[in-house]
Amino acid sequence: GAVVSQHPSWVICKSGTSVKIECRSLDFQATTMFWYRQFPKQSLMLMATSNEGSKATYEQGVEKDKFLINHASLTLSTLTVTSAHPEDSSFYICSAISSSSYNSPLHFGNGTRLTVT
Amino acid sequence: QQPVQSPQAVILREGEDAVINCSSSKALYSVHWYRQKHGEAPVFLMILLKGGEQKGHEKISASFNEKKQQSSLYLTASQLSYSGTYFCGTESGNEKLTFGTGTRLTIIP
């Protein structure tokens, strides 16, 4: 149980274009989904927290107009990287929980490797 | 604030033991441990919630100190499959998990 599906696994796009990444909880309802970014050989850095039906909460330094997050249902959250630039190239990982995070493990998607040329 | 892990990297021979530490500057509600293989998502290992708690599964165990500011992950009789980067994740009351700096573990035959 507790499967999170993330698509696509990888994407290559040209600078200036937008890319959408989907994160779905397949067998549970995710009250909260988290979006992380990971650069090579670095830790996972939280970008934003999204709750179904409400606006996402962004971490300091993350541009909300550049990284659009939509959590339209209890099983789907999307991250759209708008006007992508080479410095946005990274590994993006979503995770989901069904209750308060401090006593529940995060269930991760398999990640999306974004390369902006 | 990001928890600090030590060591940053360690190389072991198969069968040897390892300890990975995770330290926070303030008391925590919980600490999680995850293992990440290259190019893959992190995989959950365990959560500790109570000060003084120790728990484990097979040859991987962890502890959480009484002050709830430090946790250690213990890998005994390491196997090749244990290779990867280990992250602690800490939660301090804001329902967000902050991941540590990571420890890269390499097991050689």
Side-chain angles (χ1 to χ4, degrees):
Chain A
V3 177
V4 175
S5 174
Q6 187 174 340
H7 291 279
S9 298
W10 59 270
V11 57
I12 301 172
C13 70
K14 292 188 175 181
S15 188
T17 61
S18 296
V19 173
K20 180 184 282 189
I21 302 169
E22 289 191 350
C23 181
R24 293 179 185 272
S25 57
L26 298 185
D27 52 3
F28 68 102
Q29 292 186 327
T31 53
T32 305
M33 288 187 173
F34 303 92
W35 287 94
Y36 289 87
R37 180 168 55 185
Q38 186 177 35
F39 292 106
K41 296 186 179 181
Q42 293 189 22
S43 185
L44 292 87
M45 300 306 294
L46 181 64
M47 298 175 67
T49 303
S50 75
N51 294 292
E52 183 265 339
S54 61
K55 290 184 178 180
T57 303
Y58 290 81
E59 295 300 301
Q60 194 171 9
V62 178
E63 299 175 57
K64 61 181 180 181
D65 294 330
K66 181 173 181 62
F67 298 99
L68 302 178
I69 291 172
N70 184 281
H71 195 156
S73 74
L74 284 171
T75 59
L76 174 64
S77 176
T78 60
L79 167 68
T80 301
V81 183
T82 63
S83 187
H85 289 100
E87 57 265 30
D88 298 325
S89 298
S90 187
F91 191 51
Y92 292 85
I93 312 175
C94 70
S95 65
I97 57 170
S98 57
S99 60
S100 295
S101 66
Y102 71 88
N103 60 0
S104 299
L106 292 184
H107 306 291
F108 284 92
N110 286 330
T112 298
R113 186 162 302 283
L114 171 64
T115 304
V116 184
T117 61
Chain B
Q1 197 167 12
Q2 187 176 32
V4 177
Q5 289 182 232
S6 63
Q8 289 185 335
V10 60
I11 300 174
L12 297 177
R13 289 196 178 277
E14 200 173 1
E16 292 182 334
D17 302 339
V19 180
I20 299 171
N21 300 302
C22 173
S23 294
S24 171
S25 59
K26 54 184 178 181
L28 304 165
Y29 276 64
S30 68
V31 63
H32 301 214
W33 284 98
Y34 292 82
R35 176 172 58 215
Q36 185 181 30
K37 301 276 187 180
H38 180 68
E40 299 179 8
V43 172
F44 170 75
L45 296 176
M46 64 186 77
I47 293 179
L48 297 107
L49 299 172
K50 301 176 183 176
E53 183 178 11
Q54 297 182 56
K55 68 193 320 184
H57 178 66
E58 296 183 346
K59 295 179 181 178
I60 299 176
S61 61
S63 64
F64 199 9
N65 76 342
E66 289 287 349
K67 288 187 177 180
K68 301 181 74 175
Q69 287 183 262
Q70 184 171 357
S71 177
S72 296
L73 184 72
Y74 306 93
L75 306 165
T76 58
S78 57
Q79 306 167 17
L80 292 175
S81 61
Y82 288 1
S83 290
T85 301
Y86 288 78
F87 292 101
C88 64
T90 59
E91 203 275 331
S92 52
N94 59 3
E95 298 190 347
K96 293 188 295 187
L97 209 60
T98 301
F99 284 90
T101 48
T103 297
R104 178 171 292 184
L105 176 65
T106 303
I107 310 293
I108 55 176

